[in-house]
Amino acid sequence: ILVVGAGPAGLACAIRLGQLLEDAPEIRERLGEVPVAVLEKGKQPGSHLLSGAVVNPRALRRLFKGRKRIDEMPFHGPVQHESVYFLTPKRALRIPAPPTMKNEGNYVASLSQLGRWLAEQAEEGGAMILPETSAVKLLASDGRVRGVRTGDKGRGRGGEELGNFEPGADVVARVTVLAEGTQGHLTGVAVNHFGLA
């Protein structure tokens, strides 16, 4: 199973697949030496994530139910209270917090740290993370996705081949999960190719 994108969604997918395969060793064996692979274009998972966030822990509790506690996750602490202000050129007026901005009970986190931690959990579950590997082309034929083609490595700014040049490779999988974000270029290709809009 190939997961394109090592953000929180892609890593959560890899973690959940590892949990499911833990309970199904015969399927894990059929999937081969690398049952789950995650492509990450950055130097490491988390390197392309925004720095700060307020996280609702509900999804992480469900993902790790009975396996990890909140205090084991890379949070900086719970949100004790929030304040929302309407700013004018000369004043700051406190207003009631809209429902979408109520964060009491949520946790403050660094998304890049959370991404690195989720990557560690995915690797513990058997996923192989391939950093500095961008997916540049969706491989689709016979009405299904067969995998992706990775980008070349070791090219200069002008596109010339450097001494460490490596051509891109086709990564073929039985299942390809596109977790490259809302503006992912491969997702756009898949939406157009398969008429998913």
Side-chain angles (χ1 to χ4, degrees):
I1 300 170
L2 174 64
V3 180
V4 179
L11 293 168
C13 176
I15 291 166
R16 185 65 184 131
L17 288 168
Q19 292 169 350
L20 293 170
L21 291 173
E22 190 177 285
D23 297 335
E26 67 285 348
I27 294 174
R28 180 182 213 108
E29 190 173 311
R30 275 201 337 249
L31 289 174
E33 194 175 314
V34 180
V36 179
V38 182
L39 299 185
E40 167 54 40
K41 66 183 173 189
K43 287 191 180 286
Q44 65 181 3
S47 61
H48 283 276
L49 297 174
L50 297 174
S51 61
V54 176
V55 178
N56 182 332
R58 184 175 62 220
L60 290 170
R61 280 192 185 115
R62 285 185 62 202
L63 179 63
F64 292 109
K65 59 183 168 220
R67 299 169 193 252
K68 297 284 179 192
R69 297 184 322 271
I70 289 294
D71 62 354
E72 295 176 275
M73 297 178 190
F75 294 135
H76 296 289
V79 174
Q80 302 294 331
H81 64 278
E82 65 274 313
S83 299
V84 179
Y85 291 87
F86 178 76
L87 303 176
T88 69
K90 296 184 180 190
R91 296 178 60 199
L93 303 167
R94 187 169 180 181
I95 62 172
T100 57
M101 294 184 175
K102 291 188 178 182
N103 287 302
E104 195 168 326
N106 293 341
Y107 288 82
V108 176
S110 160
L111 277 185
S112 59
Q113 288 176 353
L114 181 61
R116 286 191 296 274
W117 183 81
L118 288 170
E120 291 170 8
Q121 306 313 305
E123 287 179 319
E124 285 177 17
M128 176 184 279
I129 298 181
L130 304 166
E132 298 185 275
T133 307
S134 61
V136 296
K137 183 178 180 186
L138 192 67
L139 302 176
S141 63
D142 301 326
R144 66 182 291 255
V145 174
R146 307 198 50 77
V148 300
R149 178 163 298 140
T150 65
D152 295 342
K153 293 182 182 181
R155 286 195 178 271
R157 290 182 189 259
E160 71 279 3
E161 294 180 9
L162 301 175
N164 62 344
F165 175 77
E166 290 179 38
D170 289 354
V171 181
V172 179
R174 293 181 187 193
V175 175
T176 302
V177 178
L178 300 176
E180 55 181 349
T182 58
Q183 301 298 315
H185 68 285
L186 295 184
T187 301
V189 169
V191 166
N192 292 334
H193 183 82
F194 295 106
L196 302 175

